Amino acid sequence: TIHKYNGSGTVVEIPGIIDGKTVTDIGKWAFLGLDNLTKVTIPDSVKSIGYAAFGGCQKLENFDFPSSLKNIGDYAFIHCEGLTSVRIPSGVTTIGEYAFHECITLENVKLSSSLESIGEAAFGGCALNSITIPRSVKSIAEHAFNGCIKLNRVNFDGSKSEWENLRHNIAINNGILNSNDVNYRHDVDFDPNGGKINGKEAAATKIIYSRGTIKLVDADCYNPEDMEHAEKFAAPTPTREGYTFDGWYIKDGNDKLSDTKFDFESAEITDETEDITLYAKWSLNAAVLTPAQPILYTVTVENGTAYDGETAKNNFKKGDTVTVKVNEEALKEMDFDKWEVVKGYVKLADETA
């Protein structure tokens, strides 16, 4: 545990090991009132930041939270008036009371995806314009966002019903959080279905926060990799070598692509809309089946003589019966249409096989 910093530097990098011992905690009052401190880097071994550990560090502008962090204590960063942006690591489950109180220039806060509780007045008096509440949150204490006079947008990383359950555990005096002016999250997932989107085989996701009913094409959306910059909704165009993209489709109850292409222009998002998954539909390019790239089949003559697709055509005898074994792997994306008679002397016994 770091109990007290006695240095005078403006930039501090705390080592992970001191005197042979691993640093796991920043103790209470450890950096209290060091108003010349501008940047602090914490080692990945630290799990807890204690009571008022950085309180009153008014010039602190940059603080690198370690990924190992689990808890931010009471008053930990109170009156750190130089902080403008904070990104809480995903492992943090608790933010203590008054933790960032009166950080008057703090405009951007990214909360932990596993956060469970936000303490009393934790962000009171900050300069937040918007905040996204993770669906993992179970309680928000009184005054947690009180005095955030610029706060005009609240996004919730869950459904309307989940928010209604959480509202019972949001204390009074939390401004907009006590109203119904909350935007619920809706994910639109694009599965390339054998293709790629922006060079990646994984599905791409568009995240939409909305309230009421809006047209999908009018929605602002975010990419999971960039939750700070919204852009107008636009469906991606996937690619697949040897195939043509035929559009985006949903799946029916039998896990088959629907017959109708998804209509983005008419689609709407409502408070009750569940996440949407769309699948790319592909058709095999005709060029794959040109003579320059032939697909050869095995032809077996019933009398026991076998020939490959290149030589058998010259060895049939009148009255022979042949079986064509199709390359199923090459044609698995295609529907059978018909056998084509190239030589007039061939009679087909079964034209539907």
Side-chain angles (χ1 to χ4, degrees):
T1 299
I2 302 269
H3 294 290
K4 184 65 177 176
Y5 175 69
N6 296 315
S8 59
T10 60
V11 177
V12 174
E13 182 173 351
I14 300 174
I17 298 177
I18 297 177
D19 295 333
K21 296 181 179 180
T22 301
V23 176
T24 59
D25 302 279
I26 308 298
K28 64 180 181 179
W29 308 322
F31 294 83
L32 179 66
L34 297 181
D35 55 12
N36 65 327
L37 196 61
T38 61
K39 181 177 180 179
V40 177
T41 301
I42 306 293
D44 276 338
S45 55
V46 169
K47 297 180 180 180
S48 177
I49 296 176
Y51 184 96
F54 295 91
C57 295
Q58 297 186 12
K59 294 181 181 179
L60 183 60
E61 298 176 351
N62 297 289
F63 193 92
D64 296 330
F65 289 92
S67 59
S68 56
L69 194 65
K70 303 295 183 184
N71 175 65
I72 297 175
D74 299 344
Y75 298 85
F77 296 90
I78 188 172
H79 288 297
C80 287
E81 298 176 0
L83 282 178
T84 59
S85 181
V86 167
R87 192 176 187 90
I88 310 297
S90 61
V92 172
T93 58
T94 302
I95 296 177
E97 60 183 43
Y98 292 86
F100 295 92
H101 188 70
E102 292 294 339
C103 293
I104 59 175
T105 61
L106 183 56
E107 296 179 334
N108 300 301
V109 172
K110 168 65 174 170
L111 296 175
S112 161
S113 58
S114 59
L115 186 64
E116 296 183 1
S117 65
I118 301 175
E120 180 181 350
F123 294 97
C126 292
L128 300 174
N129 294 300
S130 65
I131 190 71
T132 297
I133 305 297
R135 70 194 310 171
S136 57
V137 170
K138 299 177 180 178
S139 65
I140 300 176
E142 189 173 359
H143 301 289
F145 294 91
N146 192 37
C148 298
I149 60 176
K150 295 182 179 180
L151 184 59
N152 57 27
R153 183 179 179 91
V154 175
N155 296 329
F156 177 60
D157 268 338
S159 66
K160 180 179 180 180
S161 61
E162 289 173 312
W163 176 258
E164 292 298 330
N165 291 331
L166 174 59
R167 280 189 65 192
H168 297 296
N169 295 309
I170 299 178
I172 61 173
N173 296 320
N174 270 306
I176 191 173
L177 275 78
N178 295 125
S179 72
N180 290 321
D181 294 334
V182 173
N183 301 286
Y184 313 113
R185 174 170 169 163
H186 310 278
D187 287 6
V188 182
D189 298 318
F190 295 89
D191 188 329
N193 197 22
K196 295 181 179 181
I197 299 175
N198 296 327
K200 298 179 180 179
E201 296 180 356
T205 299
K206 302 284 187 180
I207 298 173
I208 298 169
Y209 294 101
S210 65
R211 182 176 67 255
T213 300
I214 62 170
K215 289 282 190 181
L216 178 58
V217 292
D218 294 333
D220 291 329
C221 62
Y222 299 84
N223 292 316
E225 298 81 10
D226 182 8
M227 294 298 291
E228 296 182 3
H229 301 95
E231 57 186 20
K232 282 298 180 183
F233 178 87
T237 301
T239 58
R240 185 178 181 183
E241 186 175 355
Y243 291 80
T244 297
F245 173 59
D246 291 334
W248 293 106
Y249 290 74
I250 61 173
K251 284 188 175 181
D252 59 24
N254 297 317
D255 201 34
K256 301 292 185 181
L257 293 185
S258 63
D259 295 330
T260 306
K261 186 184 299 186
F262 187 81
D263 186 352
F264 290 98
E265 292 297 325
S266 65
E268 293 181 334
I269 299 292
T270 69
D271 291 346
E272 286 74 25
T273 299
E274 297 181 355
D275 293 343
I276 301 170
T277 300
L278 301 173
Y279 300 86
K281 185 176 182 180
W282 304 97
S283 58
L284 191 63
N285 290 343
V288 176
L289 300 178
T290 61
Q293 296 175 310
I295 296 177
L296 304 181
Y297 307 111
T298 298
V299 178
T300 303
V301 179
E302 195 174 61
N303 62 15
T305 304
Y307 307 89
D308 64 29
E310 286 295 298
T311 59
K313 62 186 179 183
N314 296 319
N315 290 277
F316 294 138
K317 301 188 299 296
K318 185 175 181 179
D320 283 344
T321 299
V322 299
T323 300
V324 177
K325 296 181 180 179
V326 179
N327 183 336
E328 295 181 3
E329 179 63 25
L331 300 181
K332 66 180 181 180
E333 301 289 340
M334 302 181 68
D335 294 324
F336 177 78
D337 183 18
K338 64 180 179 180
W339 293 113
E340 182 176 354
V341 180
V342 178
K343 295 289 185 178
Y345 59 77
V346 178
K347 178 181 179 181
L348 299 180
D350 185 353
E351 297 185 3
T352 63

